[in-house]
Amino acid sequence: LSPDEDGICSGRYFSESGLVGLLEQAAELFSTGGLYETVNEVYKIVIPILEAHRDFRKLTLTHSKLQKAFDSIINKKRMFGTYFRVGFYGSKFGDLDEQEFVYKEPAITKLPEISHRLEGFYGQCFGEDAVEVIKDSAPVDKRKLDPNKAYIQITFVEPYFDEYEMKDRVTYFEKNFNISRFMYTTPFTMDGRPRGELSEQYKRNTILTTMHAFPYIKTRINVIQREEFILTPIEVAIEDMRKKTQELTAATNQEPPDAKMLQMVLQGSVGATVNQGPLEVAQVFLAEIPEDPKLYRHHNKLRLCFKEFIMR
């Protein structure tokens, strides 16, 4: 439908040839953006129209473009966006005060890059001395902030999926397309320090839900929901062991095999270069049966994690 001057739909429809042309342009743009899987979805609409018109010349061209797209899926290594959670604090921001957004940045964007850019941009708006970037990801206590300053908190976040979602999100593309939930972790101890011994290391997992899913026409989207989960030290250990096992599984099943990657993962898993590796985890949490019956389930989970880890 084409809009008229006052923005109301005028009811004039595209012809089929016009629709095909528009969809072909969309497919080209998706291909340029590296979203080759969506090229196939677009041509699923185009091909039946071309078949109905018996336009074999265009069908030949369409299938050659599809072949190119599928070849790119198989052979090209793609890097999709990097995501950051940005929170604004201070009356200088007006309506943005205490608002959170998820920003999508080009692949391999580092935290200092986006931090420098936003600090520079808002420094021009409010004055360089009036803008301050909060360096950690801990919850912000507004009572401790200077009311004459504008504060920006920037945190690296990763796409988050529930376990049932991971069954359908198998490929790298599927894990980076149509995403609206993101997670970041904040380590802490009960005495206020961010890091401590294994037996006292807690972790706060924060899950953010955005108003729309990425990729989107805008590169920042409002956060509309926030959930927090506190992990106890043994739960932190379980999560770490599962992550190490997943890394080992990926490294051993990689096609074609990559000996250097496997060596790096093995060294990180069992090497003595760090004092909080699997051996230390086992000594801290599995040396004795816990006295608290509430920890039996976690104790057993960690034992099963080690069983799987050793098998890998």
Side-chain angles (χ1 to χ4, degrees):
L1 293 166
S2 56
D4 56 18
E5 286 76 18
D6 59 0
I8 300 170
C9 240
S10 64
R12 287 173 293 177
Y13 287 84
F14 287 116
S15 64
E16 279 189 348
S17 60
L19 176 63
V20 168
L22 193 69
L23 289 169
E24 286 176 337
Q25 288 177 34
E28 289 294 332
L29 290 170
F30 283 136
S31 184
T32 304
L35 303 174
Y36 305 113
E37 287 83 353
T38 54
V39 174
N40 182 44
E41 297 302 316
V42 172
Y43 281 131
K44 281 180 182 178
I45 304 169
V46 172
I47 289 172
I49 299 173
L50 297 179
E51 287 175 344
H53 287 279
R54 295 170 180 79
D55 192 340
F56 300 112
R57 193 181 298 277
K58 272 201 171 182
L59 277 168
T60 304
L61 186 61
T62 299
H63 283 290
S64 67
K65 288 179 179 178
L66 272 173
Q67 183 183 3
K68 186 179 177 183
F70 290 137
D71 285 340
S72 298
I73 292 171
I74 296 167
N75 300 316
K76 276 193 178 181
K77 288 189 176 180
R78 291 174 287 172
M79 295 283 302
F80 294 105
T82 306
Y83 300 93
F84 297 91
R85 170 246 171 205
V86 180
F88 298 95
Y89 303 93
S91 57
K92 285 183 177 291
F93 284 116
D95 292 341
L96 283 180
D97 185 20
E98 293 192 63
Q99 292 289 312
E100 290 179 299
F101 296 86
V102 171
Y103 279 62
K104 181 183 179 183
E105 295 293 312
I108 329 180
T109 300
K110 303 294 183 186
L111 187 63
E113 292 178 50
I114 183 173
S115 178
H116 179 72
R117 195 183 82 227
L118 291 178
E119 190 176 11
F121 175 78
Y122 287 104
Q124 289 179 341
C125 298
F126 309 128
E128 290 183 11
D129 296 334
V131 178
E132 189 173 320
V133 175
I134 300 171
K135 303 293 184 185
D136 57 51
S137 59
V140 175
D141 185 352
K142 283 202 73 177
R143 294 172 297 179
K144 296 179 181 179
L145 303 180
D146 185 342
N148 297 314
K149 284 191 173 184
Y151 293 87
I152 306 171
Q153 187 181 43
I154 307 171
T155 314
F156 173 75
V157 294
E158 293 181 299
Y160 173 81
F161 308 104
D162 289 314
E163 282 189 27
Y164 73 89
E165 289 181 279
M166 293 304 290
K167 293 176 183 177
D168 296 321
R169 292 182 180 266
V170 179
T171 66
Y172 181 61
F173 171 80
E174 289 163 344
K175 291 173 184 175
N176 286 274
F177 190 80
N178 194 27
I179 48 178
S180 59
R181 298 175 80 201
F182 301 86
M183 188 180 79
Y184 67 93
T185 61
T186 310
F188 70 96
T189 58
M190 287 303 180
D191 59 8
R193 291 174 298 134
R195 296 198 177 273
E197 298 297 323
L198 281 173
S199 58
E200 55 187 18
Q201 183 66 69
Y202 288 77
K203 187 188 285 185
R204 181 185 296 106
N205 285 351
T206 306
I207 299 169
L208 307 173
T209 304
T210 55
M211 185 179 291
H212 305 286
F214 285 104
Y216 189 61
I217 53 174
K218 293 181 181 179
T219 54
R220 81 169 186 180
I221 303 178
N222 298 65
V223 173
I224 58 171
Q225 187 178 341
R226 158 191 281 264
E227 303 167 74
E228 288 186 354
F229 302 96
I230 303 295
L231 300 185
T232 60
I234 193 168
E235 288 177 306
V236 173
I238 290 168
E239 191 177 77
D240 289 343
M241 288 306 301
R242 281 177 173 169
K243 188 175 179 182
K244 288 182 190 300
T245 305
Q246 286 170 359
E247 288 172 354
L248 269 174
T249 305
T252 49
N253 293 336
Q254 192 166 334
E255 287 293 338
D258 188 338
K260 286 185 179 178
M261 178 59 71
L262 180 58
Q263 170 66 23
M264 286 172 61
V265 173
L266 278 172
Q267 198 165 338
S269 298
V270 297
T273 53
V274 287
N275 61 356
Q276 293 192 345
L279 182 60
E280 181 74 10
V281 170
Q283 289 172 342
V284 170
F285 295 108
L286 299 181
E288 297 177 0
I289 302 294
E291 295 178 5
D292 187 354
K294 293 179 182 177
L295 294 178
Y296 288 168
R297 186 164 58 91
H298 295 314
H299 186 265
N300 195 46
K301 265 188 183 179
L302 187 56
R303 287 176 59 249
L304 292 173
C305 284
F306 267 95
K307 184 179 179 181
E308 177 75 7
F309 174 73
I310 292 167
M311 187 188 77
R312 292 296 173 187

